[in-house]
Amino acid sequence: MGKLRKKFGNVAAILGAQWGDEGKGKLIDIFAGEYDVVVRGTGGANAGHTIYPEKGKKVVFHLVPSGIFHPKNVAVLGNGMVIHFPTLFEEMEVLKKFHVKTKGRILISGNAHIVFEYHKKIDQILEEMKGGAKVGTTGRGIGPAYTDKIMRIGIRVSELENFKKFEEHFLTNLKLFQKMYGFHYDPSHELAWFKRHHNEIGEMLCDTNMFLGEVLEKKKSILLEGANGTHLDIDHGTYPYVTSSNATIGGLVTGTGIAPKHFKSIIGIVKAYVTRVGNGPFLTELTDSLGDQIREQGSEYGSTTGRPRRCGWFDAVIIRQSIRLNGLTSINLTKLDVLTNIPKLKICVSYKKKNTHAFYMPPTLDGYTPEYIEMPGWVEDISKARKFSDLPKNCQKYVQKIAELIKVPIHFIGVGQTRQEMIISG
Ligand code: IMP
């Protein structure tokens, strides 16, 4: 048994603790080498993880769990997901180019819902309608697909087993949405696509709940891959500027059917600063040239939409909240190297409103301002550091201060882009 599996147990979850894009892909990739199955439970092609399967080769996946590059790994798309199949097929084409076998290695829950092109149209219509109050969605049809699910009219993957019925359901829904939203759409191309591919999809269809249950019975290991980020959670995030699923640990429970008692570790991915794409409150945002510097140093452009990410100072309040919501047992601090060459760094320790101080996220952030401490920066290249003591003293102090504020052990520190550029403690 590998070192990580020994330390983090047979069932470990890795999820983002901020507003997404924390850099989950790298740790998931490292863990996946020791785990038998990697499963996603929520979201759809709004998520994006970047993996570097070979030196200098970058791939961005939106649907396939990151573990697929490890030959023994089985990737599961869980029941809580909403799946846009043409995107999945494009990703499978990329995998082919890297000679990665997918047959029997990608299993899809029949209970997951399908995202269609009309969902994207509705996403766009709703955003336009909201004007200045728009969420800034990824435009991938996520909200409308989850809306159908909750309205109990959604189309699940298992419906493809009877193509005729599937087609009827599709056309009924489309008619309803065209009435509701008044858009024109000729579905013949999309239906033809599903007609061509439904047998291939059928080969990946699986009772994933049964499969995962048997994996657990055999004492094999499962890695759960979170999507989006804690504060984009539909219940606990900065509503309405959130996604339409539960990006916190609860979503991984319901979205996979793995009972909470099995979870041995819940690892939070925390960027050494904060980013956010789309609209919504972000108290430590830097709207000046320093924000631009961090964006450039960190290549902070959306992996799904290419939009520039909003950047800001590390915020201990949102991390404390994430720890509370998810029961995080361990932290991976990512992209610490991006903060090199910034003379003074700020860390938000609490929020203030009149005479009150908030250490956890208040229900609304209106009227709150961040309270900072200042830390000296460093100029040394930290990408070669493999032990904590290799880091420059000021950098060590920055990490120690964060650890002190959030009170959960930081077991991993990312110091560069590649898999190797990681300090792993203990
Ligand atoms: P949706 O999930 O496309 O509906 O977008 C809702 C909000 O969540 C928008 O602000 C998106 O930018 C944001 N969002 C959704 N998924 C991700 C993600 O994986 N990373 C970062 N932001 C995301």
Side-chain angles (χ1 to χ4, degrees):
M1 189 188 288
K3 254 184 163 175
L4 292 171
R5 195 170 143 193
K6 220 180 237 165
K7 181 165 174 171
F8 294 95
N10 264 4
V11 179
I14 296 181
L15 49 81
Q18 292 152 323
W19 280 291
D21 308 316
E22 298 90 351
K24 293 178 279 292
K26 186 160 125 184
L27 195 71
I28 291 167
D29 191 37
I30 292 172
F31 267 65
E34 294 190 16
Y35 281 72
D36 300 304
V37 176
V38 181
V39 55
R40 251 187 82 175
T42 58
N46 51 351
H49 19 247
T50 308
I51 312 167
Y52 296 85
E54 290 169 16
K55 204 168 169 52
K57 296 239 167 95
K58 171 178 152 173
V59 287
V60 181
F61 279 164
H62 302 286
L63 287 166
V64 179
S66 319
I68 196 75
F69 279 98
H70 296 275
K72 289 199 186 125
N73 221 276
V74 174
V76 174
L77 279 72
N79 56 276
M81 287 187 71
V82 289
I83 301 171
H84 182 251
F85 277 101
T87 304
L88 180 68
F89 275 58
E90 274 168 31
E91 291 177 9
M92 285 164 61
E93 278 305 308
V94 173
L95 289 170
K96 245 188 226 161
K97 284 194 191 128
F98 283 96
H99 309 290
V100 175
K101 288 207 177 81
T102 53
K103 205 169 168 59
R105 296 187 57 223
I106 299 183
L107 307 179
I108 303 175
S109 166
N111 287 2
H113 283 245
I114 307 179
V115 178
F116 297 104
E117 297 309 314
Y118 58 71
H119 289 124
K120 292 191 195 174
K121 280 190 180 293
I122 298 168
D123 200 349
Q124 198 185 343
I125 291 167
L126 290 173
E127 282 286 87
E128 277 165 17
M129 196 190 81
K130 287 177 193 160
K134 70 177 176 191
V135 177
T137 70
T138 58
R140 299 295 177 103
I142 304 299
Y146 276 116
T147 305
D148 288 7
K149 173 176 174 174
I150 300 302
M151 284 209 293
R152 292 160 292 178
I153 58 168
I155 302 182
R156 303 199 291 182
V157 182
S158 56
E159 290 195 40
L160 284 165
E161 286 187 299
N162 182 336
F163 194 79
K164 200 170 170 316
K165 266 197 165 161
F166 159 80
E167 198 172 34
E168 277 167 21
H169 192 170
F170 175 98
L171 291 170
T172 306
N173 280 6
L174 179 60
K175 208 163 137 192
L176 171 74
F177 297 132
Q178 284 182 311
K179 230 187 215 165
M180 279 169 76
Y181 297 103
F183 61 88
H184 295 287
Y185 178 60
D186 173 4
S188 53
H189 181 76
E190 190 172 17
L191 281 173
W193 190 94
F194 275 100
K195 189 149 202 178
R196 272 199 314 280
H197 294 290
H198 77 279
N199 286 331
E200 281 167 86
I201 296 172
E203 283 168 20
M204 296 187 275
L205 197 68
C206 171
D207 178 347
T208 54
N209 193 239
M210 176 74 86
F211 172 79
L212 294 168
E214 285 172 1
V215 167
L216 290 172
E217 275 161 26
K218 288 179 193 150
K219 305 270 180 274
K220 287 186 167 187
S221 54
I222 300 176
L223 183 66
L224 294 105
E225 173 175 327
N228 320 120
T230 291
H231 296 286
L232 290 171
D233 184 280
I234 184 80
D235 284 275
H236 299 287
T238 45
Y239 191 90
Y241 302 102
V242 292
T243 189
S244 297
S245 63
N246 287 109
T248 47
I249 192 70
L252 282 175
V253 174
T254 54
T256 62
I258 298 173
K261 71 166 186 175
H262 296 294
F263 288 65
K264 292 290 177 286
S265 318
I266 304 167
I267 305 167
I269 310 292
V270 174
K271 213 181 271 188
Y273 47 99
V274 182
T275 62
R276 174 163 205 173
V277 264
N279 299 329
F282 177 1
L283 292 198
T284 64
E285 182 173 11
L286 284 161
T287 49
D288 56 6
S289 58
L290 200 48
D292 297 338
Q293 184 184 340
I294 294 175
R295 181 176 310 109
E296 292 316 310
Q297 288 181 192
S299 307
E300 294 294 355
Y301 292 89
S303 53
T304 301
T305 57
R307 290 179 289 179
R309 294 179 185 144
R310 301 156 67 192
C311 299
W313 296 122
F314 185 88
D315 182 347
V317 177
I318 63 172
I319 301 306
R320 284 190 202 103
Q321 184 79 7
S322 269
I323 292 167
R324 185 181 263 178
L325 287 169
N326 295 305
L328 301 179
T329 54
S330 185
I331 297 289
N332 172 198
L333 196 66
T334 62
K335 300 185 87 166
L336 186 60
D337 53 301
V338 172
L339 296 181
T340 304
N341 277 323
I342 298 177
K344 278 198 180 114
L345 300 165
K346 285 188 183 178
I347 294 177
C348 167
V349 294
S350 53
Y351 297 164
K352 187 169 192 262
K353 186 174 180 175
K354 293 194 180 130
N355 292 325
T356 60
H357 303 270
F359 294 91
Y360 290 85
M361 213 91 153
T364 160
L365 298 181
D366 292 349
Y368 281 96
T369 51
E371 296 186 285
Y372 290 111
I373 52 165
E374 223 171 64
M375 307 282 296
W378 60 91
V379 292
E380 297 89 337
D381 171 14
I382 62 168
S383 64
K384 309 267 174 328
R386 295 295 173 269
K387 303 192 294 294
F388 187 71
S389 57
D390 293 339
L391 293 171
K393 279 280 164 302
N394 283 351
C395 186
Q396 289 187 17
K397 283 186 193 156
Y398 182 76
V399 176
Q400 277 161 343
K401 179 51 77 180
I402 289 176
E404 188 188 302
L405 289 166
I406 65 176
K407 298 187 177 74
V408 169
I410 299 173
H411 285 127
F412 306 89
I413 303 172
V415 291
Q417 235 169 31
T418 66
R419 255 168 143 259
Q420 289 69 34
E421 287 163 320
M422 182 81 105
I423 296 171
I424 302 182
S425 69

